Structures are given as structure tokens and as C-alpha cells.
Amino acid sequence: MTPEDEIQKLDDQLNLLSSRFVQSSEGLILSADDEGNFKQTILEAKTLFDAVFGVDNPFSREVNQAVAEGSGGFFGGPSYKCLREVQGIFRAGKRELERRRAIVPNAAIKRKKDRYVERIEEMGGLTAKDYDLTKLIRLCQELNAAYDDDSYMSIGMLVRSIVDHVPPIFSAKTFTEVANNYPGPKSFKSAMRHLDSSLRNAADSFLHVQIRNKEVLPTFQQVDFRADLDHLLAEIVRLLK
């Protein structure tokens, strides 16, 4: 049973209780047994809301307030108005859960056919003795997620994190040393220099430029370093095989 179904079941229980109010000198009241059922329903709902929305969520708080203000709360039994208010909160919580669940298939549809990084499985198959690639692989996975989500600033910052992470594999302290001194072919050197200059400038603008009175958001073209990054990762795979 989904949380939405559980909330609906609790709402149905309150609906049944709403027909069991009886007239008294103090107005409409529930019998002692029905008051107990009401308390049980409220406690189950609060436990459910806390589980799915976290502790101190707005739905549990609203239920607490409605019950506390409803003709004495638990001590005097709920008023008819209180019961209906609680039902409204239940239904709002159910709608919020349905909205959140709808986000998941939408996110799946948004996935692109290609990936920013295509060598994750290749790196995962390496058994490098001197270097743990766990963080590098995770950075690449998060980079693919940012690419799927069109998070262009995140792409720039993640690629920057990758190039700053890998210099020891090339026996260097900084990526600038890799770009300037690593004895690779001309195409590799050109790609590394592009990463060290254009990428660094783009990432610095995302990370260090303070707020201004006007801003322009980056486009994908500004952070499309896929070919250069693939040169870098291919050489890492070659070195660590």
C-alpha cells in the first residue's frame, strides 16, 4: 500500500466518524469509543506524515493545531469542524505525495540519449594499485546527472573538480603542470591546455564572481568540454591499465 493509499484509508475513517456525531447540550459530540478511534486515526496520520515528509513537517503541525483548537482537543473530544479541517489536511498531504511521485517519471523522460562522460564503466574496471578512482568515478557520475538536468554551472564546476583531482596520476602537483609538461601527443596537449585555460576561466566565473546588478546564465556551449575531458580520461585509462 502506498502512503497515498494509507492517507486515503485514514480519511475514509474520519468520513465514517463524521456521521457518528450526536447532539448534546454542548453541541455535536462523539461517543467515548469514537473519540478513541479519532485519536488513533490522528496518531497514525502524524506517524505517516513524519515518515514521508520528515519530522516537524507542515502537515503534522497543522493537524496538531487543528486538534488543539477543536473544542478542547483530545481532552474534550473533536468538534465536527475540527474533524473536517483534519480531513482537509489529510487530502493536502495526499496531493503533495502525488505531486512528488509524478516528478520521478518526468525526470526519467528527461534523460538524454548520450552522456557527458562515456568512460565510467571503463574506469570502474581498472584495478589501479596506487590510486583509488572512487571519487573520480563519482564526480563523473554526478557530471552525467548534471548534464541530464541541464545544470550548466554544475557541469563547469564538476569538470573543474575532475581536472584538479587527477594530476598525481600524471606525476604532477597541478593540472597546469599536466597541460604544459606532460609528454603526450599534440592533440592531447591541445586538449589539456584548453581545459586549463577556457575551463578554468568558465568555472572561476561560476565559483568566484560575486553577485551583480545584472547576470546572464551560461549556455551549454560554454561548458561543453566533452572532447577534451575524454582525452584526459582516455589517457588515465591507458596509464592505469
Side-chain angles (χ1 to χ4, degrees):
M1 182 181 293
T2 67
E4 298 96 306
D5 292 335
E6 291 186 57
I7 293 174
Q8 183 61 58
K9 183 178 178 181
L10 295 173
D11 186 18
D12 291 341
Q13 290 173 6
L14 290 187
N15 217 37
L16 179 62
L17 286 176
S18 70
S19 66
R20 298 175 65 86
F21 278 85
V22 294
Q23 189 68 45
S24 74
S25 58
E26 298 178 359
L28 291 173
I29 62 171
L30 289 174
S31 68
D33 286 344
D34 287 336
E35 280 187 34
N37 291 333
F38 178 79
K39 292 178 186 179
Q40 180 179 336
T41 302
I42 293 300
L43 291 174
E44 288 181 10
K46 287 171 58 182
T47 301
L48 178 59
F49 284 144
D50 288 347
V52 296
F53 294 119
V55 178
D56 195 33
N57 65 84
F59 301 102
S60 290
R61 290 199 302 271
E62 289 294 326
V63 167
N64 280 337
Q65 183 174 347
V67 171
E69 295 175 353
S71 298
F74 286 149
F75 299 103
S79 66
Y80 185 84
K81 177 176 179 291
C82 167
L83 185 145
R84 289 305 192 192
E85 286 181 359
V86 170
Q87 281 190 284
I89 298 165
F90 283 10
R91 291 165 188 173
K94 179 184 175 185
R95 286 194 295 271
E96 176 61 21
L97 282 171
E98 290 169 345
R99 281 193 291 269
R100 293 188 181 189
R101 192 178 296 278
I103 292 172
V104 176
N106 290 340
I109 292 170
K110 194 175 181 180
R111 287 187 64 87
K112 295 180 170 64
K113 293 181 180 179
D114 62 339
R115 298 186 295 178
Y116 199 98
V117 179
E118 298 288 353
R119 294 188 184 271
I120 293 175
E121 291 78 12
E122 202 171 356
M123 289 188 293
L126 297 173
T127 54
K129 181 177 65 173
D130 298 322
Y131 302 103
D132 185 344
L133 301 184
T134 302
K135 183 177 178 181
L136 175 59
I137 291 171
R138 182 61 182 179
L139 286 168
C140 290
Q141 290 170 335
E142 293 191 9
L143 181 52
N144 282 342
Y147 177 56
D148 279 336
D149 198 40
D150 294 333
S151 298
Y152 301 145
M153 285 186 283
S154 296
I155 289 173
M157 290 183 278
L158 284 164
V159 179
R160 168 75 179 272
S161 296
I162 289 170
V163 301
D164 285 343
H165 183 60
V166 300
I169 297 175
F170 299 89
S171 301
K173 293 182 179 179
T174 68
F175 192 75
T176 298
E177 291 180 38
V178 177
N180 292 333
N181 303 326
Y182 185 73
K186 186 176 179 180
S187 59
F188 179 82
K189 289 183 177 181
S190 176
M192 297 309 100
R193 287 170 182 161
H194 190 223
L195 285 174
D196 192 46
S197 58
S198 297
L199 164 66
R200 194 171 297 278
N201 290 336
D204 281 348
S205 71
F206 304 151
L207 287 164
H208 304 307
V209 173
Q210 294 183 328
I211 192 168
R212 300 175 289 187
N213 63 342
K214 292 183 180 179
E215 293 289 350
V216 177
L217 295 176
T219 62
F220 178 66
Q221 285 70 24
Q222 290 175 258
V223 295
D224 187 6
F225 296 95
R226 288 175 295 179
D228 299 327
L229 181 61
D230 190 65
H231 273 288
L232 175 64
L233 298 178
E235 186 65 7
I236 289 173
V237 170
R238 188 187 72 82
L239 289 173
L240 299 182
K241 273 186 176 181

